[in-house]
Amino acid sequence: MQINRARGTLISLAATGALLVAAAAQAEQDPRVKTIMDASTLGTLDSSFMSLEAQQRAKEHIAKARAEKAARIASGQPKAKVHPIISDFADRLTVDPGMEHPFLSVNDGMIGLELELSSTDAQAMASMEAMGVHVHTVDGNTAIVSCPVADLPAAVLNADSSDLILSMSPVLGEIVNRGSVVSEGKAALGVDRAIRRFEVKGRGVRICAISDGIQGAELAAQTGDLPRRRDGSPRIDVCDTAVTGTNDSGAEGTAMLEIIHDLAPKAKLGFCPAFGGGEPGLANAITYLANDAFRGKGCDIIVDDVAFLTEPYFEDGVVAQAVDAAADKGVIYFSSAGNSADAHYERPYVDIAPGADLPVPPPFSFADTHDFGTAAGLAPNNGWLGVVGGQSFFAAFLQWNDKFGASGNDYDLYIFDTNGFVAGDPAGAFPFAFNGTDFQGGTGDPLESALLFNISPSVEFFFIVIDRFSGDPDRLLEVNFNGTFAVLPTFNVPEGSVWGHSAARGAISVAAVNALDPGLDDIEPFSSRGPSRIFWQPDGTPVTEVRSTPTITATDGVSVTGSGGFPTTFFGTSASAPHAAAIAALALEEEDDINPDTFLLATALTADDRGLPGFDSTWGFGLINVIGILNVIDDLEDDDDDEDDDDDEDDDDDEDDDD
């Protein structure tokens, strides 16, 4: 395979912009959708090791980067006020105002930014608006904002001269857990038989979804795939975008609601978009649906298929806490377990050269880099091989088990090409990139991200390198990814790939099995595995907790209309989660007094065991069994069946004006 290099050539800003626009037109570039390439592509490279020459070049770069970082720390300015990728994009916009960006959060000409502010009082918010910056959500001293892309160069200049803005960073890590394949889940799970036997269709139940958007819902309503009002519009209670600070920017929510409507056709539907307000915006969406949707009645069931790769992996962040609060209120909460099992890493840090410190004699090793090989019980290797698609992006997100906001252990994340040129070096394969080298000095987050865009039309190989700049070597490392890529399976760790709010105590995390599988007994290879490890309580108290995840398994591979430009086949835990949520709606119609614990108990007792006997970290309790759940719920019913007498309110149009 020919590897196309841009070595030694400085690509003009205008040309780079044109390449990015061409790439966006050629293939789906939504940075929220992860696409795992065929890992056999990696077999075209002879070795999973860097050459000695590449190792030397990479070692020299890390040594130089360490020295520069140490100098910044000594000067009292450990990081740039404006994140390098933001300032770089602003510079490029001055040359090519129409260029697009492959992985920054840009919707309808607005770019999402995360600002650290010296104050968040009313005067500060007014100052933000005066700069042309619209504030969406505020959490402590952090604000998620947006500004017109055309105004970004001016916003960067304002930030550099402002005492109010302490730092400006991109909003990164938005991800939806979907793919595409074919089949149906309703018959595979026996929902059609349950509807006939128990005469349940979700009447009187309010079920709400959180995803990227519901574009195309009008068309789905016209075809009968979603409920509609008298005027033909979709009968969906949609939250005000002020709640999350976003516009409707996708159609995955439409596909999720279609699945729910197929399985529970009489249930009331609600929706909140997930993105635009960062993690606080997603938490706000959960809180709104649990308490304020449907004119203050709130949702009985919530299901989401989204995550932020910046959510804490080893503690409950703001989103997980919102999930727990909803469950405490009595909401049955479902979350897609994730599609990370075939592209995930979680192992303790292993020093490639114990006791050594930079520099080390060339060209054998980097002194304090992580040894992926020894950690896997193999030969020492400080680089994890991967491949990124042509004209596509790749992102890696590293975390370690320190408390967010209190990390004093400093790990850095680099990406190198196979010749040892660091991502971002104009002489290497990835001139459009940045690496994760933030300073963690006791008040930082244990988080680094590295992103690149492959401007070549051909696939490009890379190596991921983790360097311990300073601090405790006894840390658990976890890496998750986004983009169009594959990583060497040798170092992949499926275990622990259920993370963030999907691992919250109040969440029922849903794994996926292909509905085309005749025995429904082969878990999807991408379906995330547990267990999920928690080291910190929200108040900062250390804890050692191993959570049993995922909770349950349902089917993916269901046909949807494809309205709004979504694929007509729906694959991934994004598809399995709404199947499980719709089954809960049938159970709530059967007995409207059941709470999340009761439903979970019925689910656990009746699930069709798969994998290892009993609960396991691949299937959870097993394949969800709707007939079994309804039998258990039926046994819990009182003799009087009051739940069947007030359904008319849900079948007529007396709530047509809710929106």
Side-chain angles (χ1 to χ4, degrees):
M1 177 178 294
Q2 180 67 34
I3 298 179
N4 188 1
R5 301 291 186 195
R7 192 180 340 282
T9 302
L10 289 174
I11 299 175
S12 72
L13 300 182
T16 302
L19 279 170
L20 296 179
V21 173
Q26 174 179 316
E28 181 179 20
Q29 292 296 314
D30 186 344
R32 296 168 304 200
V33 178
K34 179 174 67 176
T35 303
I36 304 295
M37 298 171 62
D38 185 349
S40 65
T41 309
L42 294 164
T44 60
L45 198 64
D46 294 335
S47 172
S48 64
F49 293 83
M50 285 187 185
S51 68
L52 296 183
E53 178 185 1
Q55 284 198 48
Q56 175 64 13
R57 183 177 288 119
K59 182 182 77 69
E60 290 172 353
H61 173 83
I62 289 182
K64 180 181 178 182
R66 277 174 155 252
E68 292 174 348
K69 183 173 180 176
R72 293 197 307 270
I73 294 169
S75 71
Q77 294 181 328
K79 67 177 182 179
K81 190 171 189 179
V82 178
H83 192 285
I85 199 167
I86 295 294
S87 56
D88 175 76
F89 187 34
D91 289 343
R92 293 172 187 268
L93 285 170
T94 61
V95 177
D96 182 7
M99 77 168 291
E100 298 180 11
H101 202 286
F103 43 70
L104 290 180
S105 179
V106 178
N107 289 311
D108 296 329
M110 304 289 286
I111 182 168
L113 302 169
E114 180 177 311
L115 304 181
E116 182 185 359
L117 304 174
S118 58
S119 172
T120 56
D121 60 17
Q123 183 178 354
M125 297 299 98
S127 297
M128 289 289 97
E129 296 291 344
M131 292 181 190
V133 174
H134 179 61
V135 179
H136 296 301
T137 58
V138 177
D139 181 28
N141 283 338
T142 299
I144 304 297
V145 307
S146 64
C147 78
V149 172
D151 294 341
L152 184 61
V156 168
L157 291 175
N158 286 334
D160 279 332
S161 60
S162 171
D163 293 331
L164 174 60
I165 301 175
L166 302 179
S167 69
M168 176 183 287
S169 304
V171 175
L172 298 173
E174 300 173 347
I175 188 169
V176 285
N177 295 311
R178 73 152 165 99
S180 57
V181 101
V182 67
S183 193
E184 299 293 341
K186 185 175 182 180
L189 292 174
V191 173
D192 46 0
R193 290 185 289 112
I195 289 175
R196 290 193 301 269
R197 177 174 170 181
F198 291 88
E199 298 182 347
V200 289
K201 294 185 177 182
R203 297 178 183 88
V205 180
R206 299 180 297 276
I207 181 169
C208 301
I210 300 174
S211 189
D212 57 358
I214 51 171
Q215 291 180 357
E218 294 82 1
L219 180 59
Q222 291 172 15
T223 60
D225 292 281
L226 287 176
R228 61 181 176 181
R229 296 185 169 91
R230 291 192 184 100
D231 63 3
S233 64
R235 192 174 178 189
I236 303 170
D237 188 307
V238 181
C239 72
D240 190 328
T241 55
V243 172
T244 57
T246 185
N247 293 318
D248 186 6
S249 58
E252 185 142 338
T254 303
M256 292 178 69
L257 292 174
E258 286 182 26
I259 292 173
I260 294 168
H261 188 58
D262 282 343
L263 274 63
K266 293 298 184 180
K268 294 181 179 179
L269 303 181
F271 179 78
C272 253
F275 301 129
E279 293 170 52
L282 178 53
N284 288 348
I286 295 168
T287 302
Y288 174 87
L289 290 178
N291 297 279
D292 301 320
F294 295 102
R295 297 186 292 188
K297 296 178 183 177
C299 305
D300 301 305
I301 300 165
I302 299 175
V303 55
D304 79 66
D305 73 333
V306 297
F308 282 85
L309 290 162
T310 52
E311 287 184 54
Y313 301 160
F314 300 115
E315 63 186 273
D316 290 324
V318 62
V319 182
Q321 293 175 53
V323 170
D324 287 343
D328 289 343
K329 186 180 181 294
V331 175
I332 304 177
Y333 197 101
F334 295 86
S335 185
S336 57
N339 300 343
S340 299
D342 53 357
H344 170 261
Y345 190 79
E346 183 179 297
R347 290 198 188 277
Y349 168 77
V350 177
D351 196 332
I352 191 73
D357 200 2
L358 284 175
V360 295
F364 301 104
S365 68
F366 316 156
D368 293 314
T369 55
H370 175 58
D371 187 347
F372 288 99
T374 299
L378 303 171
N381 193 340
N382 55 8
W384 187 2
L385 176 67
V387 62
V388 59
Q391 295 187 329
S392 299
F393 84 99
F394 168 74
F397 291 77
L398 164 70
Q399 292 189 27
W400 53 99
N401 59 323
D402 282 345
K403 181 79 178 72
F404 263 60
S407 179
N409 302 302
D410 196 345
Y411 289 79
D412 292 330
L413 179 64
Y414 296 92
I415 304 177
F416 293 92
D417 67 17
T418 53
N419 288 287
F421 289 98
V422 72
D425 188 331
F430 309 115
F432 197 80
F434 73 85
N435 298 277
T437 59
D438 286 345
F439 174 54
Q440 285 84 23
T443 59
D445 291 336
L447 167 67
E448 294 289 357
S449 58
L451 292 88
L452 63 85
F453 186 79
N454 176 19
I455 62 175
S456 167
S458 305
V459 300
E460 291 283 355
F461 296 100
F462 59 80
F463 284 96
I464 300 166
V465 174
I466 299 172
D467 179 49
R468 181 175 64 88
F469 178 81
S470 64
D472 189 353
D474 186 21
R475 297 291 91 185
L476 181 62
L477 308 178
E478 182 166 356
V479 188
N480 284 288
F481 308 104
N482 200 8
T484 301
F485 69 100
V487 288
L488 188 72
T490 305
F491 296 153
N492 187 63
V493 181
E495 294 77 17
S497 52
V498 180
W499 48 266
H501 71 273
S502 294
R505 291 190 189 94
I508 297 174
S509 55
V510 187
V513 60
N514 193 327
L516 280 179
D517 176 4
L520 296 178
D521 53 8
D522 289 320
I523 200 75
E524 294 285 22
F526 55 76
S527 185
S528 289
R529 274 58 158 181
S532 304
R533 303 183 187 278
I534 301 297
F535 290 85
W536 303 94
Q537 295 180 2
D539 64 3
T541 303
V543 65
T544 301
E545 183 180 352
V546 180
R547 295 182 181 169
S548 298
T549 57
T551 313
I552 197 69
T553 301
T555 49
D556 70 345
V558 61
S559 297
V560 292
T561 65
S563 298
F566 194 79
T568 55
T569 52
F570 196 3
F571 186 47
T573 56
S574 286
S576 62
H579 281 86
I583 288 172
L586 302 181
L588 274 177
E589 181 187 350
E590 184 69 10
E591 174 51 68
D592 60 6
D593 287 336
I594 63 172
N595 58 35
D597 291 338
T598 305
F599 177 80
L600 182 58
L601 178 61
T603 300
L605 289 173
T606 62
D608 295 329
D609 201 6
R610 296 288 194 271
L612 298 175
F615 184 94
D616 65 69
S617 59
T618 299
W619 292 83
F621 289 110
L623 184 67
I624 194 167
N625 184 331
V626 59
I627 298 289
I629 290 171
L630 290 172
N631 276 328
V632 171
I633 297 302
D634 193 42
D635 290 341
L636 297 176
E637 282 190 282
D638 295 329
D639 291 336
D640 52 339
D641 291 330
D642 294 337
E643 69 275 10
D644 291 330
D645 59 6
D646 292 326
D647 298 332
D648 290 345
E649 138 179 59
D650 302 294
D651 298 330
D652 61 22
D653 284 329
D654 53 352
E655 290 194 3
D656 278 354
D657 298 325
D658 282 357
D659 57 350

